């Protein structure tokens, strides 16, 4: 057997595999001998079927199977030994004159070669946002917490601060749904005026159109889908069943302990510091996600290299379960090119900076992730053995293991980028961050 490679250009090559009868005959003979032992042919005892009959019935299919096995194995070994960095998979070059009745065979495969890449992390300008929780946001969160943990007090009639519970109805549309709302949910002064001063048992005459500030609230209140209420214009009745308001909780130790646990916070100053810390921790996750996306876009834009486009289009046409037409494959290439470019850039960055993930790191990351999830459900101190057992079960699922590995690699790369890249840093409030980033 002989394998040779011919470079067409820097990104394309052809591998030729020559297989002679000597390469496969011994294996074919062994398989046929085993077939003979097991064959059930009328007129012959098992194991006594003439070899000529076995060869006639099975010889060609066994030979084709063994040649294909030898071809795949030898091609894979060649690619590994030559350390060829290829894109996609080798594509067989079809020969209309190929003949399986011959003894010696020649196979050719097209290869798409990965390009040489130089990644310069200093190119381009990237803004790194540092999101701060300002006094206005902290004030609002303190108020929200006071209301969330406050005392619900019944009211005789609807006022500006009321929560109103009742039943929306429309007999023709089959609507009869219980809902709770506040005057802040109601759109327009005329609609709000219908509620103010109403008492339990009163029935209000309303219209669905322009009743709420948001379609989501209207849909939830009527038990409908959001897409079904956008143009909805029907009369409604609303029978009031309960009226109440929330008396804000006092900023005392009982309140602090209820929110953060006993003794964690012991003053309003510490409360505000804790809210600021927690909020900025959440903001950091969003800022980091934006930063990683911005870095990705910057690297793609500022790292130039060619790809074996024609080969990749041809490969995409055959890679899926269903073959694609040339036009479909070209369209698929256009959709996937950007992602492929970043995969190659990311691989080069990881290689240049020795970024790796071993199993112990992945297991530790999985344990940390599981610990966070358990804490959300009130399990604050799980045993190490329990965490490790859950992590091992999670990692046995290949999809979950791959997802966690991707997250861990992204975290490592982001930390690397933060060390290596010079950013234009900008301190903003969360509101300004949203305005600038999600314009």
């Amino acid at each position: 057997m002989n394998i040779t490679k011919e470079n067409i250009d820097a990104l394309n090559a052809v591998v030729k595999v020559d297989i002679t009868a000597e390469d496969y005959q011994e294996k074919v003979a062994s398989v046929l001998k085993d077939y003979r032992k097991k064959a059930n042919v009328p007129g012959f005892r098992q194991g006594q079927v003439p070899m000529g009959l076995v060869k006639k019935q099975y010889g060609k299919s066994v030979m084709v199977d063994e040649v294909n096995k030898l071809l795949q194995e030898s091609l894979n070994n060649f690619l590994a030994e030559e350390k060829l960095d290829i894109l996609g998979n080798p594509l067989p070059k079809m020969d209309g004159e190929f003949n399986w009745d011959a003894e010696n065979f020649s196979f050719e495969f097209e290869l798409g070669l990965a390009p040489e890449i130089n990644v310069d992390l200093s190119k381009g300008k990237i803004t790194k946002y540092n999101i701060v929780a300002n006094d206005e946001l902290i004030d609002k969160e303190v108020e929200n917490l006071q209301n969330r943990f406050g005392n619900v007090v019944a009211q005789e009639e609807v006022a500006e601060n009321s929560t109103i519970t009742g039943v929306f109805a429309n007999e023709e549309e089959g609507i009869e749904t219980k809902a709770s709302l506040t005057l802040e949910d109601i759109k327009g002064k005329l609609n709000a005026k219908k509620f103010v001063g109403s008492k339990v048992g009163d029935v209000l005459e309303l219209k669905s159109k322009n009743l709420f500030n948001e379609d989501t609230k209207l849909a939830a209140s009527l038990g409908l889908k959001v897409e079904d209420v956008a143009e909805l214009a029907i009369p409604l009745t609303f029978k009031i069943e309960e009226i109440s308001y929330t008396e804000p909780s006092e900023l005392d130790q009982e309140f602090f302990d209820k929110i953060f646990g006993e003794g964690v916070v012991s003053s309003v100053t510490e409360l505000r510091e804790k809210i600021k810390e927690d909020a900025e921790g959440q903001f950091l996750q969003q800022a980091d996600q934006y930063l990683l996306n911005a870095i990705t876009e910057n690297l793609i834009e500022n790292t130039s290299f060619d790809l074996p486009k024609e080969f990749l289009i041809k490969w995409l046409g055959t890679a899926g379960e269903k073959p694609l037409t040339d036009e479909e494959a070209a369209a698929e290439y256009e959709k996937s090119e950007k992602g492929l470019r970043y995969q190659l850039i990311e691989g080069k960055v990881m290689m240049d900076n020795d970024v790796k993930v071993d199993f112990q790191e992945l297991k530790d990351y999985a344990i940390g992730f599981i610990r966070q999830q358990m804490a959300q459900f009130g399990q604050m101190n799980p045993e190490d053995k329990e965490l490790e057992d859950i992590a091992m079960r999670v990692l046995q699922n290949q999809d979950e293991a791959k997802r966690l590995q991707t997250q861990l690699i992204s975290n490592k790369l982001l930390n690397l980028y933060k060390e290596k890249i010079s950013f234009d840093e900008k301190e903003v409030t969360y509101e300004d961050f949203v305005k600038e980033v999600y314009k």
Side-chain angles (χ1 to χ4, degrees):
M1 182 169 56
N2 186 44
I3 305 181
T4 56
K5 177 173 73 74
E6 178 187 356
N7 288 330
I8 306 304
D9 54 39
L11 298 173
N12 295 274
V14 173
V15 169
K16 184 178 181 182
V17 183
D18 294 318
I19 296 178
T20 66
E22 292 179 356
D23 297 320
Y24 62 83
Q25 280 180 339
E26 184 177 339
K27 182 62 177 175
V28 170
S30 174
V31 172
L32 290 174
K33 186 176 180 181
D34 190 52
Y35 272 34
R36 185 183 181 219
K37 291 178 184 178
K38 299 175 182 177
N40 288 310
V41 178
F44 299 95
R45 286 187 296 169
Q46 188 170 351
Q48 299 300 315
V49 180
M51 180 57 79
L53 188 59
V54 174
K55 284 183 179 180
K56 184 177 180 180
Q57 189 168 355
Y58 301 108
K60 188 171 184 178
S61 63
V62 170
M63 183 270 290
V64 170
D65 190 38
E66 292 304 320
V67 168
N68 279 323
K69 287 180 183 177
L70 179 62
L71 175 64
Q72 192 62 54
E73 182 182 358
S74 58
L75 180 61
N76 289 341
N77 289 340
F78 177 79
L79 295 176
E81 289 167 4
E82 294 292 314
K83 297 180 179 177
L84 293 176
D85 191 3
I86 66 172
L87 301 177
N89 293 317
L91 287 177
K93 293 185 71 174
M94 306 309 294
D95 185 351
E97 299 180 0
F98 188 84
N99 181 14
W100 279 110
D101 291 326
E103 289 191 341
N104 301 324
F105 308 100
S106 287
F107 302 91
E108 289 187 339
F109 294 87
E110 296 177 66
L111 302 182
L113 306 177
E116 291 290 328
I117 300 175
N118 178 41
V119 182
D120 185 352
L121 297 179
S122 67
K123 283 187 175 181
K125 277 192 172 184
I126 304 171
T127 300
K128 180 175 179 288
Y129 289 96
N130 300 317
I131 309 174
V132 297
N134 59 6
D135 287 340
E136 183 181 348
L137 182 144
I138 296 171
D139 290 342
K140 190 172 182 179
E141 183 58 20
V142 170
E143 184 180 336
N144 288 339
L145 289 171
Q146 284 182 278
N147 288 328
R148 193 188 314 165
F149 292 92
N151 298 315
V152 177
V153 180
Q155 290 177 296
E156 291 187 5
E157 61 181 44
V158 176
E160 292 290 337
N161 62 352
S162 297
T163 297
I164 312 144
T165 300
V167 176
F168 281 104
N170 179 298
E171 189 173 348
E172 284 187 22
E173 299 293 333
I175 294 172
E176 189 173 357
T177 312
K178 190 170 184 175
S180 293
L181 54 93
T182 68
L183 293 187
E184 289 184 355
D185 298 321
I186 300 301
K187 186 173 184 178
K189 293 181 179 180
L190 290 177
N191 282 326
K193 192 174 180 181
K194 294 178 182 179
F195 285 87
V196 175
S198 300
K199 299 180 180 181
V200 171
D202 287 351
V203 178
L204 308 184
E205 300 288 339
L206 306 168
K207 293 180 180 179
S208 64
K209 191 170 181 62
N210 294 322
L211 177 59
F212 287 101
N213 289 314
E214 297 179 0
D215 285 346
T216 52
K217 182 64 179 179
L218 176 61
S221 297
L222 302 185
L224 300 174
K225 295 179 180 177
V226 176
E227 55 266 30
D228 294 335
V229 303
E231 302 298 326
L232 188 67
I234 59 173
L236 295 168
T237 60
F238 182 69
K239 184 176 181 180
I240 299 175
E241 294 185 345
E242 295 177 30
I243 307 169
S244 63
Y245 79 101
T246 302
E247 189 178 69
S249 176
E250 293 291 332
L251 295 176
D252 54 21
Q253 192 61 49
E254 182 182 355
F255 172 71
F256 303 148
D257 292 346
K258 193 181 295 184
I259 298 173
F260 297 108
E262 190 173 347
V264 175
V265 167
S266 56
S267 68
V268 173
T269 299
E270 290 181 8
L271 169 68
R272 295 178 65 84
E273 289 173 353
K274 188 73 169 66
I275 290 172
K276 181 179 175 65
E277 178 188 338
D278 290 348
E280 291 181 353
Q282 294 177 21
F283 296 157
L284 179 61
Q285 294 179 23
Q286 286 185 263
D288 278 351
Q289 186 58 60
Y290 166 79
L291 183 62
L292 185 57
N293 292 341
I295 293 169
T296 299
E297 292 293 332
N298 181 72
L299 288 174
I300 292 171
E301 184 179 343
N302 291 289
T303 307
S304 299
F305 54 88
D306 293 325
L307 290 170
K309 181 176 179 178
E310 290 183 9
F311 169 84
L312 289 170
I313 290 175
K314 192 184 297 186
W315 172 69
L316 285 169
T318 62
E321 293 182 8
K322 180 183 175 183
L324 303 178
T325 65
D326 292 345
E327 293 77 12
E328 289 172 334
E332 187 63 29
Y333 173 79
E334 294 301 324
K335 286 193 294 184
S336 59
E337 181 186 0
K338 195 172 182 180
L340 173 59
R341 286 185 177 278
Y342 183 66
Q343 282 182 359
L344 293 171
I345 293 169
E346 184 182 80
K348 177 65 172 173
V349 172
M350 291 177 67
M351 183 176 68
D352 288 349
N353 294 277
D354 197 28
V355 177
K356 299 174 183 176
V357 172
D358 60 33
F359 182 75
Q360 185 60 49
E361 283 182 299
L362 184 59
K363 187 175 78 170
D364 290 343
Y365 183 75
I367 287 173
F369 182 74
I370 293 162
R371 190 189 298 276
Q372 286 180 349
Q373 287 191 315
M374 293 178 76
Q376 290 176 4
F377 291 95
Q379 295 175 266
M380 306 304 294
N381 296 300
E383 294 184 2
D384 291 344
K385 178 69 166 59
E386 180 185 10
L387 287 169
E388 184 162 341
D389 288 345
I390 296 173
M392 292 303 294
R393 288 199 297 272
V394 168
L395 294 176
Q396 285 174 5
N397 182 314
Q398 290 188 352
D399 290 339
E400 278 298 299
K402 186 176 181 180
R403 184 179 67 82
L404 290 171
Q405 184 180 39
T406 300
Q407 289 180 1
L408 180 53
I409 289 173
S410 292
N411 290 347
K412 285 194 162 196
L413 285 171
L414 182 58
N415 289 333
L416 172 72
Y417 294 145
K418 285 181 176 180
E419 291 176 8
K420 300 280 187 178
I421 297 176
S422 295
F423 301 103
D424 293 333
E425 299 210 20
K426 188 172 185 179
E427 188 173 285
V428 292
T429 65
Y430 181 71
E431 189 177 74
D432 288 339
F433 172 75
V434 171
K435 286 179 182 177
E436 290 195 27
V437 172
Y438 306 108
K439 298 180 179 71

